[in-house]
Structures are given as structure tokens and as C-alpha cells.
Amino acid sequence: MMSEYQLYQFQAIDAPLTQNQKQYLHDLSSRAQVTSYSAQYEYHYSDFPAELSEVLLQGFDLALYQANWGAIQLLIRLPAALVNVAKLRAFCIDDLIGVQQQQDSIVLEISFHDEDSGRWIEDKEELAEIADIRAMLLRGDYRPLYLAWLKAALWLWQSDSVASSMPIPAGFNHLDPSLQALVNLLDLDQDLIAAVAEYSPKPLAQRELKPLSSLSATESIAWLQRLLDAEPLLAEKLTQHLTPNGDEVATATTAVSVSRLLEQAKQASSRRLAAASAVKQQQRLAYLNSLMPKQTQLWRTVVALIDKKQTKAYEQAVAILIDLFELAKIQNQTAEFKVKTNDLLARYANRSALKAKFKAAQLL
């Protein structure tokens, strides 16, 4: 049986943790692994003593919880002034994807608790690997949210409680490393992501910002003062201020249904598996053809292996006989092969273990 395992990770992006915040994290648990920008807690037989959302507000911008029975909870903290809350809420699904106002921040929560999946997380996704999705959301790039929505839609597949389609954001033809890490975290099928990419438009050309000269002297001084005050996310705030139609985001012109995506993914998977099978068959055929000039020696090797009276040697002999049997079928010599194998069994009639291996390999 698998032992219980839970992992809690927290990541600060906009500013390092203060000494007081670090002390708070250490006081929570002796298991704390704390740096200036992160904290991590691992548990095998006990639980974390605080709520993920409570710790998030202690100087962090992202939090991730993973458990080996399939639970995932991802929290992303965004400055309220820099996001379009209405557009975030468009992706919300009750109990799975939610948006809450916390002080001057918006907290996006993505939560899946699948106790049937039993996903062991030795290959756990590190929070730092998906941290860039926060910057994407601040730029109005909603691909991370679409992936979460797609996971939720599949989770509630054929349920009346979830919309069956959603416009697909631009840019799925190329997945940044952080997006690919999110795909892995959500355990989304690569063929399904390829189907999504077929409907995803190209990103809009980068729009020109209004020139800095458009700022008044008073505005310029105010921005410089905020720079001197080391205000977090100042570059993003100024860029948004100078961007015309700042919340314009490219998406597919029409919503694409989950059923259509699943059907295309199924077809793509079938094509991929068929192609892989064809390659494997070609490789197998080439290998068998290479054995043609070695058949006499291979039969001698089989006899020598059987004479060792060892289980491992029997298994090696049977493996060679399987190759010889497939080669005999190619050469239309299965009758001759049967004669030789029957002669072998007659010669070693007292070897019950050998006969059992012949039978298991369907060589009788």
C-alpha cells in the first residue's frame, strides 16, 4: 500500500518575504523549508496546520497543494487593479474553479480532489515550474484558465452543471514550459491539447504602446516616485496604462465543444498508435530477416540452452524459438518448424518445466 503523502508549496514573485513572514512560516511547522521567495512543507502521516489561502496572503503570489490520492489545489494571487475580474469569472465552475476578492487582491483557485485516481507524485510538478502562468494572466493571456476549465469540463463530463463549450484563447500552437507543466499537473492528454491547438488562433500582433511623451509632467513624476518606492509590478502597471484597448484578447471566433475536442483527440490517438505500430512491425520484420542466414546456428543454440537444465536458459531458448516460428511463417515453413519443435519435446520428454514454457509461448 502507498503511504500517505502531501506536499504544500508557496511562491513569492513580486517581493521577497520579510523576516516576520519567514518566522511565521517556521512557526507553522518544524517541516518548513523556507527561502526568501518560497516555502515548502511535506507530510507523510499528518496534516498541514493552516489553510492554503491563509498562508498565501502572508506574502505569497502562488500556492500549490498536491496529495498522492489525486488532490490538487492551485491558488494564484493577482493584483485587483491589473486584472479583468469578469473575464476571469467566465471560466469559473462551482467547486472547481473560483475567484475571490481578498483585500486588494484577486485570488484564483483551481481545485480537484479525485480520490479514485491515486496519483503517486514522485514526479510532482514543482510550483516554480508553473509560476510564469501568473504573468500570463496579468497580460490577459487566459490559456492557463482555459486548461483548468477543460480539466473541469472533463471532470463533470455529461453533467448539466458545466457548459459544454468555451472559446479557445490564442497561442496553443506553442506551449511555454510553464503551460506544459500545468498540462502535466492537470494530467491532460497531449492528443487533447493538440486538438485544442487546431482551433486556437495565432496571437494578436503586439500592439504599440502610447509614447511616454503622452504622459503629462505630473504623471511622469508620479510614475518615477513609484519607481523609487520600489512598487511591485510597476512595469506591468505602466505597460497596461500605455496600452490602448488593454483587455483585448484573441480567442477562437466560436466556442468549441468538449465532445468535438475529445473526438479529434481520439482520432489523433488512433493515428499516432497506428503509425507507431507500423514502425514497430517494420523494425520487427527487419530483425527477423536478419536472422535468416543464422537459422541453423540458432537451432543449435536452443539445444545448448535446453541442455543447461536452468529456468533462465529455458526462457532464452523459448525466446529464440518464438523468433524462429515468426520467421518460419514468413518463409511458409511452419510445418517444418513444428516437426523440429516436436522432435525437441520428444528428446526432452521428461522436462515438464520445458514443456510448460513451450505451452505458455503457444509453441505446441
Side-chain angles (χ1 to χ4, degrees):
M1 293 180 62
M2 294 186 300
S3 63
E4 179 179 300
Y5 181 74
Q6 299 179 84
L7 176 66
Y8 298 80
Q9 296 174 291
F10 302 89
Q11 184 78 40
I13 296 175
D14 294 343
L17 301 170
T18 66
Q19 287 303 316
N20 286 341
Q21 288 168 333
K22 289 182 180 180
Q23 188 59 52
Y24 163 81
L25 296 167
H26 282 293
D27 290 343
L28 279 176
S29 170
S30 60
R31 299 175 183 271
Q33 301 175 44
V34 181
T35 72
S36 294
Y37 282 89
S38 68
Q40 177 171 300
Y41 303 81
E42 290 186 69
Y43 290 89
H44 291 273
Y45 299 104
S46 56
D47 295 314
F48 190 54
E51 292 292 329
L52 205 66
S53 56
E54 292 176 3
V55 181
L56 176 76
L57 297 177
Q58 299 299 317
F60 292 107
D61 300 298
L62 296 105
L64 175 61
Y65 165 69
Q66 301 176 76
N68 67 331
W69 54 80
I72 297 171
Q73 186 180 7
L74 173 63
L75 302 182
I76 305 172
R77 185 181 184 185
L78 304 162
L82 292 182
V83 295
N84 186 322
V85 179
K87 290 197 173 183
L88 297 181
R89 290 191 189 282
F91 294 91
C92 289
I93 294 177
D94 288 347
D95 300 322
L96 300 177
I97 306 172
V99 173
Q100 293 184 351
Q101 181 89 33
Q102 296 282 358
Q103 302 168 12
D104 58 350
S105 300
I106 298 297
V107 177
L108 171 65
E109 179 176 354
I110 299 165
S111 181
F112 298 99
H113 294 270
D114 185 3
E115 296 185 1
D116 294 329
S117 72
R119 185 177 81 151
W120 183 244
I121 53 176
E122 286 180 347
D123 299 325
K124 58 186 178 292
E125 293 301 321
E126 297 294 339
L127 182 54
E129 294 177 0
I130 63 173
D132 284 348
I133 64 174
R134 180 175 182 266
M136 293 179 187
L137 295 172
L138 289 174
R139 294 194 301 268
D141 181 348
Y142 298 134
R143 286 178 296 170
L145 261 176
Y146 179 84
L147 290 175
W149 175 89
L150 183 58
K151 173 71 174 182
L154 294 172
W155 188 284
L156 300 174
W157 181 236
Q158 296 180 337
S159 168
D160 294 335
S161 61
V162 61
S164 62
S165 60
M166 175 73 72
I168 297 176
F172 270 108
N173 58 317
H174 170 72
L175 293 186
D176 311 80
S178 56
L179 271 181
Q180 184 57 60
L182 182 61
V183 168
N184 297 340
L185 175 68
L186 297 175
D187 198 24
L188 290 168
D189 181 72
Q190 293 294 337
D191 289 319
L192 183 61
I193 299 304
V196 168
E198 290 189 28
Y199 295 97
S200 178
K202 293 182 180 179
L204 292 173
Q206 189 171 0
R207 288 159 288 177
E208 291 187 8
L209 301 181
K210 291 185 286 187
L212 289 171
S213 58
S214 64
L215 298 174
S216 67
T218 302
E219 287 177 311
S220 297
I221 292 171
W223 281 105
L224 286 171
Q225 184 60 55
R226 293 165 72 178
L227 176 63
L228 289 174
D229 293 339
E231 181 178 326
L233 292 168
L234 191 63
E236 287 82 356
K237 293 173 184 177
L238 180 56
T239 298
Q240 192 174 97
H241 182 75
L242 294 173
T243 301
N245 302 319
D247 63 348
E248 182 182 350
V249 179
T251 59
T253 54
T254 57
V256 182
S257 69
V258 174
S259 58
R260 184 188 301 179
L261 292 173
L262 286 173
E263 181 58 32
Q264 288 194 208
K266 182 179 178 181
Q267 293 173 1
S269 177
S270 297
R271 290 193 298 270
R272 178 172 50 78
L273 292 174
S277 177
V279 169
K280 205 169 182 179
Q281 288 176 1
Q282 290 174 356
Q283 292 172 339
R284 179 66 175 165
L285 182 59
Y287 168 71
L288 292 173
N289 286 332
S290 73
L291 299 181
M292 284 187 181
K294 307 173 185 177
Q295 292 178 81
T296 301
Q297 181 57 48
L298 287 173
W299 280 103
R300 291 173 183 162
T301 301
V302 167
V303 172
L305 287 167
I306 293 174
D307 283 338
K308 290 184 177 182
K309 301 180 181 180
Q310 298 172 353
T311 300
K312 185 69 175 177
Y314 286 170
E315 291 171 354
Q316 293 171 337
V318 167
I320 294 172
L321 286 172
I322 290 173
D323 289 342
L324 289 171
F325 182 45
E326 290 188 30
L327 189 56
K329 287 190 286 186
I330 293 172
Q331 298 174 305
N332 294 318
Q333 295 177 355
T334 55
E336 292 87 337
F337 176 87
K338 289 293 184 183
V339 169
K340 289 182 178 180
T341 52
N342 288 335
D343 287 345
L344 277 175
L345 284 175
R347 180 176 175 182
Y348 301 100
N350 61 338
R351 307 278 183 91
S352 57
L354 177 64
K355 186 175 181 180
K357 291 194 178 296
F358 270 52
K359 187 174 181 179
Q362 297 182 337
L363 293 171
L364 296 181

